Amino acid sequence: MIDPSELIEKVRIEQMRMEDLDEVMIIEKASFITPWTRGMFIEELGSRHSVCLVARMPDESGSGENGKIIGFVCSSFILDEIHILNIAVHPSYRRKGVAGLMIKEIIKKGYERGSRYIFLEVRVKNKAAIRFYEKLGFKVIGLRKGYYADTGEDALIMEKELMGVENI
């Protein structure tokens, strides 16, 4: 079993690169009913409004450069808002703090750019994710009826106001 505190100390959050997409796609397909396509990730990587990050475990030599990708997040920065578009952690590394680490890095980048709010949508039935986001300070501010085309499920809109780096 992986000790969460040891894991978090080792994980490096880095910019997603095109060469990361094979590993990202494995995590994406293991995480979602209707996964993003490779083309969708390529589009985000090419957008000037997007910030896509990966969580990487160092390899045996301690180098993060060639280590295993265990999570990713894609977000869009527009005006003073951040929108988390997609976030996932490899099933073997869930509930160990990786997603929180990635979100905190996105918030830090947003704060540096003058962002004041961060938003995301989450399936109404995904109670574990809702609790996780609430622990990070997100609040439910609305509902998108039939948001998920694959199931017709509603999405909760969640928001967190960014007060400063100390708020991360």
Side-chain angles (χ1 to χ4, degrees), residues 59-160:
D59 61 18
E60 295 78 38
S61 70
S63 166
E65 189 174 305
N66 299 314
K68 176 182 179 178
I69 293 173
I70 61 171
F72 67 85
V73 60
C74 289
S75 58
S76 181
F77 288 65
I78 300 176
L79 301 174
D80 65 348
E81 297 178 357
I82 306 166
H83 294 261
I84 294 181
L85 306 173
N86 193 348
I87 183 168
V89 174
H90 188 283
S92 301
Y93 295 92
R94 290 184 184 153
R95 299 186 190 276
K96 298 184 184 342
V98 177
L101 203 61
M102 292 188 299
I103 289 174
K104 287 175 183 177
E105 186 63 26
I106 287 292
I107 290 171
K108 193 183 308 179
K109 289 183 179 304
Y111 182 74
E112 291 166 0
R113 295 176 183 211
S115 299
R116 295 184 52 218
Y117 304 94
I118 183 167
F119 298 91
L120 58 85
E121 285 89 12
V122 60
R123 290 177 187 267
V124 295
K125 292 180 184 172
N126 192 343
K127 301 301 182 197
I130 294 165
R131 281 191 304 276
F132 165 71
Y133 294 130
E134 287 173 339
K135 284 181 185 174
L136 289 176
F138 285 83
K139 299 207 178 334
V140 175
I141 61 163
L143 181 74
R144 296 195 196 279
K145 288 284 208 187
Y147 181 76
Y148 293 98
D150 55 0
T151 62
E153 189 175 350
D154 298 342
L156 293 177
I157 305 165
M158 298 187 80
E159 171 198 53
K160 176 180 171 114

